[in-house]
Amino acid sequence: MKQRDRQILNIALPSIVSNITVPLLGLVDMVIVGHMGGAHYIGAIAVGSMIFNMIYWVFAFLRMGTSGMTSQSLGRRDLTEVVRLLVRSLSVAMLIALAILLLQVPIGWLAFTLMSPTPDILPLAQRYYYICIWGAPAMLGLYGLTGWYIGMQNTRLPMFISIMQNVVNILASCALVYGFGMKVEGVAIGTVVAQWAGFLVGLLLLKRNYWRLAKYFQGRGIFLRDAMYRFFCVNRDIFLRTLCLVAVNMYFTSAGAQQGAVVLAVNTLLMQLFLLFSYVMDGFAYAGEAMAGKYYGAGNMDALRDTVKRVFCWGGAMAILFTLVYLIGGSRFLSLLTDEASVVEASADYLLWAVAIPFAGLAAFVWDGIFIGLTATRSMLQSLFCAAVSFFAVYLSLVSVLGNHALWLALVVYVIMRGLVLTLAARKILKKA
């Protein structure tokens, strides 16, 4: 195995572990409330978790933008700018978190109005929301830290933080619910404790592993106009791209729900196959963004092109593996997720769409990572916009004929379009570089 392949795996594998542990934070909460004696507790956590998933997803640019710019500065050996980017990202994260805390009441009102939970769920969901909102500074701060760590070619620290967060969440939530007799409040406090524990440990690891960079700190250049303009231009494009992504994902769920409970359940289960593949591919995308940014910043175009080729090779291998696994054992996997015979039986009609996702989405996942490393965020926004338009055009024009198959066809076209537009843009960017 060549050295560059080892570098890719050293970054990708810890990232994959981190990605897989992320949904466990919500899963732990769901398991605990699932034994409280009422479906309304599960509904409250589901509503509250969805609100925060949407909030934090919108501000994911703090991770992606920081990663690309940090890796480029590292490649140039501009350690002063590396340190500035860390301080800049954390400062912006804290300002956004402060705004969220100050506006928590109108944000909560808007969220609950849009989601319209039933009267038995609403008060419990509100309790969960108004406690978990205090974890916003920790979560957004972790986005900045994680992006900076990835830019520094280090994904082991984010992996450690993710695992530690899950352990703390389990211990704190169980202690509060089973030891002190709390209900939804105990689960919410346990989640906030885990979030702050993760952020504080992230800062401690920062001091332990990178304190030597403190000598490069120069406060004067942190908020210079040109630097902040570039920072916000990169993050603006990622922010708008994320809105397109959110729109497609929300509409996918909503369109499935309009076709009945069985179809909604089938789509939700099959989407787990897509998410599982995405967790693995995001690991290689992280490797691509870290290494591509570093080589681009260093002006080493041969290494950059070789990195792109090798990340695509690893991604292709994963696509083949997942396609075979889904073909052979997809129905068995769905049977593990639910014992509802009607849902498992209905899913057989749509399973091939999920099987098509790995190869359909290969280019989109890999190029996303590369483009973040190159901070070519305008092309990322353009690709997502074109893909979103394609998604809605395909579904709305074919739904009357194909029903739910039109929804899955639209999703496949959507991920293919993302990869196609980015491939065309990459040729120009790499040739220019």
Side-chain angles (χ1 to χ4, degrees), residues 114-128:
L114 292 175
M115 300 190 70
S116 301
T118 56
D120 59 331
I121 291 177
L122 179 59
L124 295 175
Q126 287 176 328
R127 289 183 213 169
Y128 183 87

Side-chain angles (χ1 to χ4, degrees), residues 1-17 153 155-156 159 280 283-284 286-288 291 307 310-311 313-315 317-318:
M1 184 181 293
K2 293 189 176 182
Q3 181 180 359
R4 196 155 289 134
D5 288 315
R6 285 196 293 269
Q7 289 178 319
I8 291 172
L9 292 179
N10 285 338
I11 296 174
L13 294 180
S15 297
I16 293 170
V17 174
Q153 323 291 294
T155 55
R156 284 184 168 82
M159 178 188 69
V280 174
F284 290 98
Y286 290 173
M291 295 174 64
T307 296
R310 293 185 183 279
V311 174
C313 287
W314 282 105
M318 291 298 104

Side-chain angles (χ1 to χ4, degrees), residues 30 33-34 36-46 121 124 183-184:
M30 200 62 69
V33 298
M36 287 184 178
H40 53 292
Y41 290 113
I42 299 176
I45 298 298
I121 291 177
L124 295 175
K183 297 288 186 179
V184 169

Side-chain angles (χ1 to χ4, degrees), residues 266-303:
V266 167
N267 288 352
T268 302
L269 291 180
L270 290 177
M271 186 56 71
Q272 303 311 306
L273 300 179
F274 176 73
L275 292 176
L276 183 59
F277 174 69
S278 72
Y279 292 146
V280 174
M281 285 305 299
D282 276 346
F284 290 98
Y286 290 173
E289 69 184 70
M291 295 174 64
K294 179 181 177 181
Y295 292 133
Y296 184 74
N300 190 343
M301 294 303 108
D302 290 334

Side-chain angles (χ1 to χ4, degrees), residues 223-389:
F223 301 112
L224 283 177
R225 181 178 177 180
D226 290 344
M228 293 301 294
Y229 178 77
R230 179 170 183 257
F231 183 85
F232 280 109
C233 280
V234 168
N235 288 322
R236 176 201 61 201
D237 292 339
I238 297 175
F239 173 76
L240 294 174
R241 169 189 175 273
T242 302
L243 292 182
C244 293
L245 198 66
V246 169
V248 170
N249 287 340
M250 289 186 66
Y251 192 85
F252 183 90
T253 302
S254 174
Q258 293 173 14
Q259 299 179 62
V262 173
V263 170
L264 175 60
V266 167
N267 288 352
T268 302
L269 291 180
L270 290 177
M271 186 56 71
Q272 303 311 306
L273 300 179
F274 176 73
L275 292 176
L276 183 59
F277 174 69
S278 72
Y279 292 146
V280 174
M281 285 305 299
D282 276 346
F284 290 98
Y286 290 173
E289 69 184 70
M291 295 174 64
K294 179 181 177 181
Y295 292 133
Y296 184 74
N300 190 343
M301 294 303 108
D302 290 334
L304 172 59
R305 293 187 180 92
D306 187 54
T307 296
V308 172
K309 181 181 72 174
R310 293 185 183 279
V311 174
F312 262 100
C313 287
W314 282 105
M318 291 298 104
I320 293 172
L321 175 62
F322 273 85
T323 300
L324 292 175
V325 170
Y326 289 168
L327 273 173
I328 297 170
S331 58
R332 295 188 184 92
F333 177 75
L334 296 177
S335 298
L336 293 175
L337 295 178
T338 181
D339 57 2
E340 288 290 335
S342 60
V343 175
V344 175
E345 183 179 352
S347 67
D349 293 336
Y350 306 100
L351 184 58
L352 287 179
W353 290 116
V355 172
I357 288 292
F359 273 104
L362 170 61
F365 280 109
V366 174
W367 281 129
D368 270 354
I370 301 297
F371 274 63
I372 290 172
L374 301 179
T375 58
T377 52
R378 180 52 56 88
S379 296
M380 294 177 66
L381 171 59
Q382 291 169 347
S383 75
L384 220 301
F385 179 78
C386 291
V389 171

Side-chain angles (χ1 to χ4, degrees), residues 5-72:
D5 288 315
R6 285 196 293 269
Q7 289 178 319
I8 291 172
L9 292 179
N10 285 338
I11 296 174
L13 294 180
S15 297
I16 293 170
V17 174
S18 298
N19 290 341
I20 292 175
T21 61
V22 167
L24 291 180
L25 275 171
L27 182 61
V28 168
D29 292 347
M30 200 62 69
V31 169
I32 293 174
V33 298
H35 294 83
M36 287 184 178
H40 53 292
Y41 290 113
I42 299 176
I45 298 298
V47 170
S49 297
M50 186 176 296
I51 291 173
F52 286 107
N53 286 341
M54 298 303 297
I55 292 174
Y56 296 141
W57 200 1
V58 166
F59 294 113
F61 64 80
L62 289 168
R63 187 206 68 74
M64 292 186 280
T66 302
S67 171
M69 288 184 281
T70 300
S71 60
Q72 288 185 23

